[in-house]
Amino acid sequence: MTISENIKSVGDDIAAYCVTCNRMPQSVLLLAVSKTKPAADISAAYQAGLRHFGENYCQEALLKQQQLSAFDITWHFIGPIQSNKTKLIARHFNWVHSVDSLRIAKRLSEQRPNDLPPLNICLQVNVSQEASKSGVSLVELPALTSEIYLLPRLKLRGVMAIPAPQQEYELQRLPYKTLVKAVNDLNQPALDTFSFGMTDDLKAAIVEGSTIVRVGTALFGKRS
Ligand SMILES: *Cc1c(COP(=O)(O)O)cnc(C)c1O
């Protein structure tokens, strides 16, 4: 299958899952995760209509951004953030999904150039309570969101999650349900973004309210 056929197929899946839960297909943004894939693949996906691309590694992303500078792409950073990379991330991305501490949020706010609009961010939440996974706990969420609202160069949009992989549909839904409830309990209308769902749990994510699905493998094939 070509990238363009994959996009059609994933788009059809998203639309079908939306029908099962009475959602509008336009309420789910397909973020194409292009990490490890060449600029030519991004170009093919762009020609097929995609405009939002997600990258995990700063250097790799910057290289592709240079190669694709003629394209009108919205770039999302979705990988782990090292503090020595915040300056580049703050300058070269439109969104950052993987903010997981106040320290990193403050650096991004301080380093976001003034000639650019505030940086859209999501807080990465550790929904599987695994010590090894990055992300803030649900308990920390209320205090952290209040602190981040005070940072002038950031626009806090919502939350991002990468749960531990589960095969079963019902098990895939659980962490998302918990996360959505925790965010709704915050009662913050500005939080309009739920970044969750990948190739293997798209349906569970959409049924639980995802507004951005981050899909790599189903669009670009397996990563080596
Ligand atoms: C790689 C990656 C994805 C895409 O995963 P697939 O299973 O290939 O769809 C989504 N989100 C993050 C944070 C990733 O690192």
Side-chain angles (χ1 to χ4, degrees), residues 31 33 35 56-57 78-80 97-98 124 160-162 197-200 213-219 221 223:
L31 174 59
V33 176
K35 65 174 176 235
N56 293 54
Y57 313 104
I78 63 173
H97 293 228
S98 42
Q124 183 173 349
M160 183 272 235
I162 313 173
M198 315 199 292
T199 294
D200 290 329
V213 290
R214 308 179 312 266
V215 181
T217 308
L219 298 175
R223 292 175 292 273

Side-chain angles (χ1 to χ4, degrees), residues 2-201:
T2 65
I3 288 172
S4 149
E5 287 167 337
N6 289 340
I7 291 171
K8 168 87 171 68
S9 161
V10 171
D12 287 349
D13 286 348
I14 291 173
Y17 301 149
C18 283
V19 167
T20 69
C21 57
N22 288 310
R23 293 187 59 188
M24 305 285 279
Q26 312 91 277
S27 68
V28 181
L29 174 73
L30 175 56
L31 174 59
V33 176
S34 43
K35 65 174 176 235
T36 80
K37 300 294 178 181
D41 286 6
I42 298 177
S43 176
Y46 186 93
Q47 307 299 335
L50 298 192
R51 292 294 178 270
H52 292 257
F53 292 87
E55 290 280 345
N56 293 54
Y57 313 104
C58 195
Q59 295 317 123
E60 180 193 335
L62 294 190
L63 202 66
K64 289 183 228 175
Q65 289 180 357
Q66 278 168 17
Q67 295 170 300
L68 298 161
S69 58
F71 292 59
D72 179 25
I73 290 177
T74 300
W75 292 99
H76 298 241
F77 191 83
I78 63 173
I81 304 172
Q82 295 164 286
S83 39
N84 64 352
K85 294 285 159 45
T86 50
K87 191 167 182 187
L88 284 171
I89 293 171
R91 174 177 291 276
H92 294 282
F93 288 84
N94 308 95
W95 282 76
V96 180
H97 293 228
S98 42
V99 176
D100 66 354
S101 71
L102 184 59
R103 193 176 67 88
I104 291 292
K106 280 183 171 161
R107 288 179 69 95
L108 290 170
S109 181
E110 280 160 16
Q111 295 171 335
R112 179 70 167 171
N114 278 315
D115 57 327
L116 296 176
L119 181 62
N120 293 296
I121 68 154
C122 292
L123 269 175
Q124 183 173 349
V125 181
N126 179 358
V127 283
S128 301
Q129 318 286 346
E130 291 160 283
S132 61
K133 284 266 166 67
S134 44
V136 307
S137 71
L138 287 171
V139 180
E140 296 169 277
L141 198 56
L144 209 47
T145 52
S146 325
E147 302 245 41
I148 290 178
Y149 276 128
L150 303 174
L151 301 176
R153 302 295 296 141
L154 299 185
K155 188 167 180 183
L156 179 60
R157 297 295 300 272
V159 290
M160 183 272 235
I162 313 173
Q166 296 283 354
Q167 301 297 320
E168 257 184 80
Y169 173 70
E170 290 301 334
L171 292 179
Q172 291 177 345
R173 289 178 60 177
L174 284 178
Y176 296 144
K177 198 185 287 292
T178 308
L179 178 58
V180 169
K181 182 175 184 315
V183 172
N184 288 342
D185 286 349
L186 296 175
N187 238 312
Q188 309 272 11
L191 300 180
D192 58 6
T193 302
F194 291 99
S195 166
F196 53 66
M198 315 199 292
T199 294
D200 290 329
D201 66 353

